Amino acid sequence: QSNNRSFETLLANFDFGHLSDPFHPSSPPLYQAATYLQESGSEYDYARSGNPTRTALEMQLAAIEGAQRAFAFTSGVTALSIAMKLPKSGDTVLVADDLYGGTVRLLSKLKECQNLDVVVVDVCNVDAVEKACASNPKASLFMIESPSNPAMRVVDLKKVASVAHKHNIVVCADNTMMSPYLQRPLDLGIDVVMHSATKFLSGHADVTAGVLLCNDAALAERIGWLQNAEGVSLPPFDCMMLLRGLRTLAVRMDRQMQTAMEVARFLEDHPAVTGVLYAGLPSHPGFELHKTQAKGPGSVLAFSTGSADKSMAIFKATKLFKRTVSFGSVASVIELPAIMSHASVPHDQRTRLLFGPDLVRISIGLESPEDIIADLRQ
């Protein structure tokens, strides 16, 4: 199915095949049941181990990401914590130097309780990637993200995967910022893809969910076992909500991305702005690389003002933007990463990545470009 139908068709009119209800509904029904009668050939027994609504969601997620298997979890951080259980005790985990703040916070604790050695790598420097892989013989997992959040650094996914695989290291890429509509890391050699489905996949800020996807059968078996054994699968109602949100992913992202480009150009020309971080601008250092691995820059961008006080004033003065963490919703969102989403990232690491207390991150929603720009201008 995924080989001969467009991405948009797979979103809006997915064929769920054998999951069709006897009454043939036009949308996958909600199976809000904890147990299932054990008749001959029954596919389900207990909701933690399997649910038809979750199966429908995981089937569709796998199809649009180009994966053999997809696994839905209760949050993005839950998906991350499951990925972090793939290494064995005593292994080394290589991590990009610019990751989601929750990832940094989780790693700071997991490295102690799981006896993991965590090594931070400048993933935009190929020599640094090669050195890290070669000098850490116990490395078994490499966590990356492109574009990164919030510094918007573009990582050569294919190159990192190629180098890591020479040393038998599994590469996990967080694709939340792009979604499978704009970027499919598995096609570039990545082993495991992660999403906080709370963001673009849901698109309405009304579901908390996470996803892991892969093609390798052994990895899929391990992830599926952990999903079941730890009881962290996404509940049926949330699966239904996420299935509904997925249907409009392409049209939402097209409109949000179009507006984001207008906003980025406005900010780049504004005298009060000292820098704009957005992979869609030719001035971005990763502009050309990003075009080779993604079909668009997304709708999240960041800008700096040179003054933490000035950025705070902008943050407080906005009327249209919702002042909160997260991104990818139909409503525009504004936040200050240094004191909100990425407060757990060490100060020296934030400084090295050139995002200080004056960095403002915005996620563009479905409001009119004129209203969004007017809100920033005022």
Side-chain angles (χ1 to χ4, degrees):
Q1 175 171 248
S2 61
N3 292 329
N4 54 27
R5 291 186 179 176
S6 71
F7 189 95
E8 291 83 355
T9 300
L10 289 175
L11 291 176
N13 192 5
F14 189 78
D15 180 6
F16 293 98
H18 73 285
L19 288 174
S20 296
D21 187 275
F23 299 103
H24 308 293
S26 56
S27 297
L30 169 63
Y31 285 87
Q32 191 65 49
T35 59
Y36 301 85
L37 300 182
Q38 293 303 285
E39 299 175 352
S40 177
S42 177
E43 184 176 349
Y44 302 97
D45 56 0
Y46 190 58
R48 172 171 56 81
S49 301
N51 173 278
T53 309
R54 193 176 91 227
T55 301
L57 172 65
E58 292 176 341
M59 285 175 59
Q60 188 170 22
L61 288 169
I64 63 176
E65 190 80 55
Q68 290 297 315
R69 293 290 304 277
F71 304 90
F73 299 93
T74 52
S75 71
V77 169
T78 304
L80 171 66
S81 68
I82 292 296
M84 290 303 300
K85 288 184 173 65
L86 296 176
K88 303 185 301 294
S89 176
D91 280 0
T92 298
V93 177
L94 306 179
V95 299
D97 51 358
D98 183 22
L99 290 173
Y100 165 57
T103 303
V104 176
R105 182 171 58 249
L106 181 65
L107 286 170
S108 68
K109 298 299 181 183
L110 286 183
K111 67 180 182 181
E112 299 172 7
C113 61
Q114 291 185 203
N115 188 30
L116 298 174
D117 184 20
V118 177
V119 176
V120 178
V121 184
D122 178 359
V123 289
C124 291
N125 183 329
V126 175
D127 290 338
V129 171
E130 292 179 340
K131 181 180 178 180
C133 291
S135 59
N136 290 281
K138 291 187 176 182
S140 61
L141 181 66
F142 204 148
M143 303 288 298
I144 61 176
E145 179 180 11
S146 182
S148 66
N149 171 27
M152 309 296 166
R153 303 174 82 210
V154 177
V155 179
D156 190 332
L157 298 175
K158 186 179 291 186
K159 184 64 176 179
V160 172
S162 176
V163 172
H165 290 162
K166 292 177 183 177
H167 299 273
N168 298 314
I169 300 171
V170 171
V171 183
C172 178
D174 186 338
N175 199 35
T176 302
M177 290 276 282
M178 290 288 96
S179 89
Y181 180 55
L182 298 181
Q183 182 171 265
R184 302 213 312 185
L186 293 175
D187 294 344
L188 300 171
I190 299 300
D191 302 295
V192 180
V193 170
M194 184 183 80
H195 290 277
S196 170
T198 310
K199 279 66 169 183
F200 288 110
L201 296 183
S202 164
H204 295 77
D206 54 8
V207 175
T208 302
V211 182
L212 291 176
L213 307 101
C214 65
N215 283 324
D216 182 81
L219 283 172
E221 182 179 5
R222 176 69 172 156
I223 293 169
W225 185 89
L226 288 166
Q227 181 192 48
N228 181 44
E230 298 200 3
V232 289
S233 57
L234 192 64
F237 182 79
D238 296 313
C239 289
M240 185 192 70
M241 294 289 285
L242 188 49
L243 279 163
R244 186 176 68 171
L246 278 177
R247 292 185 172 188
T248 58
L249 173 64
V251 291
R252 281 188 283 108
M253 294 205 75
D254 279 342
R255 173 60 185 271
Q256 289 170 292
M257 194 159 46
Q258 180 182 350
T259 303
M261 184 59 73
E262 292 187 45
V263 173
R265 289 172 179 152
F266 161 75
L267 291 169
E268 196 170 42
D269 293 336
H270 199 286
V273 175
T274 58
V276 179
L277 302 174
Y278 184 55
L281 292 173
S283 58
H284 191 284
F287 176 73
E288 293 297 337
L289 172 59
H290 186 73
K291 288 197 301 182
T292 68
Q293 59 189 25
K295 61 179 285 189
S299 60
V300 179
L301 58 141
F303 65 93
S304 52
T305 65
S307 164
D309 291 340
K310 186 182 295 184
S311 293
M312 178 62 77
I314 293 171
F315 174 76
K316 291 182 176 180
T318 54
K319 296 180 174 64
L320 180 67
F321 283 84
K322 294 187 181 298
R323 295 186 289 273
T324 183
V325 295
S326 198
F327 56 85
S329 172
V330 294
S332 293
V333 170
I334 187 170
E335 69 125 2
L336 302 171
I339 60 173
M340 295 173 68
S341 62
H342 289 69
S344 57
V345 177
H347 176 74
D348 62 334
Q349 192 170 332
R350 295 201 304 265
T351 302
R352 187 172 66 255
L353 294 170
L354 302 179
F355 77 88
D358 67 320
L359 189 72
V360 182
R361 190 189 73 185
I362 55 177
S363 173
I364 302 302
L366 294 180
E367 304 91 348
S368 76
E370 295 79 11
D371 287 343
I372 293 173
I373 290 174
D375 193 32
L376 290 170
R377 182 182 284 120
Q378 63 88 25

